[in-house]
């Protein structure tokens, strides 16, 4: 087995539990290896730290699998890791049938995403070392979950950075590519073949439930960037009088309508529009809502995009706040990792100042129980979600 020796002056990230070794941290590599092979990682004093798979073509040259030198990376290893990941979901989301079942590095299976939709698994593999062991992973998934079918959503550009081809299609078994799931008592039709990511955003499960106390039988709700309608549907379930759902995508709104019909909700107006323009127009009209929800896609894909992203976030948050009736509630989120929590809060405060609003924070959180986060890896801390009571100032 090849041996990766780390620089003496590097930060002790690996000892703190970070799951990656960067190219810049490596002093030398001893022994022969092929991309995807398991290697041992040592510090400059020849002390064993961890083992993982190596890809010299990636900035993350080693992704960590184990901190035990003698642990074999074999079928039993993957079955054990998959079973432990599922036991975590069963404990923290009791009786769950649809959720994120494996969350890559946070479940100690770097680069591997598995979402469970009833009896179908959707897999996304974004690392060369995992691809080299895909048959072991398949056997582990079959043993732990006993699924009817497994669908691959390896149609992501990051695979090309790992030297892998993009692909999608059934990996095991066959079944429908539109699947009905239930979350928080709400039903959804999920398109695992053509939907975003693997078809659904499970990370907001607890946050969607958190809006329940905001909703009264008289509440009017605006859900911007509704996508397939998840917050809209929860607002309806909790008894809102009327909901307006806005998204720029015709396909997303069509799916949101389908989901509303599936749940028997008819008190919704669906609007295909650019949310930035829609919010400004409604401010000009003097429209007010009891609850305004702003849940946009990621505006910052890199550090360089943060300044522009914050301008975009401030725009939608400023106009969203202006639409909240005095004493109403504002729900806002960001899934941009590069926009850190303190940046997001500062942006909201600036928007509130400009909108002449005083905000009282009711709730602050991140992703749900099926998206655990390694404390040592800030890369997992991507989702910011907040609920504010909105009071007029002057």
């Amino acid at each position: 087995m090849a041996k990766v020796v780390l620089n003496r002056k590097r930060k002790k990230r690996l000892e703190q539990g970070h799951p990656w070794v960067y190219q810049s941290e490596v002093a030398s590599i001893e022994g022969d290896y092929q991309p995807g092979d398991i290697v041992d990682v040592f510090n400059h004093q020849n002390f064993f730290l961890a083992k993982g798979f190596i890809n010299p073509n990636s900035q993350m040259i080693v992704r960590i699998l184990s901190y035990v030198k003698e642990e074999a990376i074999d079928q039993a290893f993957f079955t054990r890791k998959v079973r432990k990941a599922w036991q975590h979901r069963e404990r923290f989301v009791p009786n769950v049938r649809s959720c994120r079942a494996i969350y890559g590095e946070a479940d100690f299976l770097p680069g591997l995403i598995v979402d469970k939709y009833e009896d179908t698994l959707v897999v996304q593999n974004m690392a060369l070392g995992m691809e080299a062991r895909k048959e072991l992973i398949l056997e582990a998934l079959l043993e732990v979950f006993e699924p009817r079918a497994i669908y691959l959503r390896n149609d992501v550009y990051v695979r090309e950075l790992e030297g892998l081809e993009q692909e999608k299609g059934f990996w095991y078994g066959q079944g429908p590519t539109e699947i009905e799931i239930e979350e928080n008592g709400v039903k959804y039709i999920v398109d695992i073949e053509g939907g975003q990511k693997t078809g659904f955003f499970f990370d907001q499960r607890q946050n969607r439930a958190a809006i329940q106390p905001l909703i009264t039988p008289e509440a009017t709700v605006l859900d911007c960037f509704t996508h397939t309608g998840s917050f809209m549907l929860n607002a309806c379930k909790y008894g809102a009088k009327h909901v307006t759902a806005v998204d720029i995508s015709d396909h997303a709104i069509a799916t949101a309508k389908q989901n509303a019909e599936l749940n028997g909700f008819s008190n919704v107006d669906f609007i295909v529009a650019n949310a930035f323009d829609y919010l400004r127009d409604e401010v000009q009209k003097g429209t007010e809502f009891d609850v305004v929800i702003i849940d946009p896609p990621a505006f910052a894909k890199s550090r360089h995009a943060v300044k522009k992203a914050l301008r975009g976030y401030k725009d939608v948050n400023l106009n969203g706040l202006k639409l909240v009736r005095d004493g109403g509630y504002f729900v806002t989120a960001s899934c941009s990792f590069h926009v850190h929590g303190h940046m997001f809060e500062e942006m909201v405060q600036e928007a509130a100042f400009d909108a002449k609003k005083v905000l009282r924070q009711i709730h602050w959180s991140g992703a749900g129980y099926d998206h655990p986060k390694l404390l040592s890896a800030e890369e997992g801390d991507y989702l910011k979600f907040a609920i504010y009571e909105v009071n007029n100032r002057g």
Side-chain angles (χ1 to χ4, degrees):
M1 186 179 294
K3 176 177 176 179
V4 174
V5 181
L6 303 183
N7 291 322
R8 181 171 64 86
K9 293 185 178 180
R10 68 185 171 87
K11 292 181 179 179
K12 301 297 189 289
R13 298 164 56 261
L14 190 56
E15 291 88 335
Q16 294 170 346
H18 198 283
W20 302 331
V21 174
Y22 286 99
Q23 294 267 8
S24 59
E25 296 177 299
V26 175
S28 64
I29 302 176
E30 302 173 10
D32 296 329
Y33 66 90
Q34 295 295 319
D37 282 355
I38 302 296
V39 296
D40 286 339
V41 181
F42 289 77
N43 70 6
H44 67 284
Q45 296 173 314
N46 204 37
F47 182 82
F48 173 83
L49 297 177
K51 64 169 59 178
F53 51 78
I54 188 169
N55 184 354
N57 299 314
S58 172
Q59 283 301 309
M60 289 87 76
I61 188 171
V62 181
R63 300 194 194 215
I64 302 305
L65 287 169
S66 173
Y67 299 97
V68 181
K69 194 175 193 309
E70 296 76 23
E71 186 167 27
I73 310 301
D74 55 11
Q75 183 65 69
F77 171 88
F78 284 102
T79 302
R80 190 164 60 248
K81 293 292 185 184
V82 170
R83 180 168 285 116
K84 187 175 180 181
W86 182 234
Q87 288 170 345
H88 167 82
R89 276 75 184 171
E90 290 183 308
R91 169 176 285 195
F92 288 96
V93 194
N95 304 313
V96 66
R97 292 183 54 81
S98 299
C99 67
R100 173 142 296 179
I102 296 174
Y103 187 33
E105 282 77 352
D107 282 308
F108 308 102
L109 289 166
L112 181 68
I113 300 295
V114 179
D115 282 343
K116 182 178 185 293
Y117 299 102
E118 293 292 317
D119 57 2
T120 298
L121 302 179
V122 180
V123 174
Q124 198 169 73
N125 184 4
M126 295 172 284
L128 175 64
M130 285 299 189
E131 186 77 8
R133 293 160 184 84
K134 63 183 181 181
E135 296 309 317
L136 301 180
I137 294 167
L138 177 59
E139 288 304 314
L141 295 175
L142 294 176
E143 180 172 335
V144 174
F145 294 104
E146 299 181 357
R148 173 173 68 169
I150 303 178
Y151 192 85
L152 290 176
R153 280 298 301 268
N154 287 333
D155 53 337
V156 286
Y157 173 67
V158 70
R159 278 176 61 89
E160 296 183 16
L161 301 178
E162 289 278 310
L164 302 170
E165 293 182 356
Q166 295 192 39
E167 61 179 349
K168 69 176 180 178
F170 281 101
W171 189 18
Y172 169 85
Q174 292 288 325
T177 55
E178 289 195 347
I179 301 171
E180 182 179 315
I181 69 168
E182 185 172 312
E183 178 197 87
N184 298 341
V186 175
K187 297 175 182 177
Y188 300 84
I189 296 294
V190 177
D191 179 2
I192 65 172
E193 180 180 28
Q196 291 188 35
K197 304 292 185 180
T198 70
F200 191 73
F201 295 98
F202 283 121
D203 53 0
Q204 295 266 35
R205 177 191 304 270
Q206 276 80 40
N207 297 333
R208 289 188 271 264
I211 70 169
Q212 181 172 3
L214 317 183
I215 308 301
T216 69
E218 298 304 314
T220 57
V221 179
L222 172 63
D223 179 18
C224 268
F225 306 96
T226 192
H227 189 229
T228 56
S230 57
F231 278 103
M232 169 270 292
L233 293 167
N234 278 266
C236 290
K237 174 182 180 283
Y238 297 135
K241 179 181 180 181
H242 188 269
V243 182
T244 303
V246 180
D247 201 279
I248 198 169
S249 165
D250 288 293
H251 182 263
I253 287 294
T255 306
K257 284 181 180 178
Q258 185 181 16
N259 285 332
E261 292 168 4
L262 180 66
N263 288 275
F265 301 142
S266 56
N267 55 331
V268 185
D269 284 338
F270 295 96
I271 298 174
V272 177
N274 180 310
F276 289 84
D277 297 334
Y278 175 84
L279 289 166
R280 289 192 200 100
D281 291 345
E282 294 306 301
V283 168
Q284 289 296 317
K285 294 176 186 176
T287 308
E288 288 186 326
F289 297 89
D290 296 296
V291 180
V292 173
I293 301 168
I294 305 289
D295 182 27
F299 287 170
K301 302 289 188 181
S302 69
R303 270 198 321 272
H304 306 297
V306 167
K307 190 175 288 188
K308 182 179 179 181
L310 285 170
R311 288 197 297 269
Y313 281 124
K314 184 178 177 183
D315 191 329
V316 292
N317 279 266
L318 170 62
N319 288 305
L321 282 165
K322 288 180 177 179
L323 295 177
V324 181
R325 185 171 287 116
D326 188 25
Y329 294 93
F330 184 61
V331 181
T332 183
S334 165
C335 59
S336 297
F337 156 68
H338 295 285
V339 175
H340 302 309
H342 70 278
M343 299 178 189
F344 188 70
E345 284 192 303
E346 288 170 7
M347 175 278 300
V348 172
Q349 180 56 53
E350 290 173 7
F353 177 84
D354 290 353
K356 297 184 178 180
K357 305 286 186 178
V358 176
L359 304 186
R360 186 162 66 143
Q361 184 173 296
I362 305 299
H363 180 84
W364 175 273
S365 66
Y369 289 126
D370 54 351
H371 287 66
K373 180 178 80 74
L374 292 178
L375 186 60
S376 56
E378 65 173 8
E379 292 85 355
D381 195 15
Y382 70 98
L383 182 61
K384 283 75 60 181
F385 177 86
I387 299 174
Y388 299 99
E389 180 190 87
V390 180
N391 300 282
N392 290 344
R393 175 173 58 82

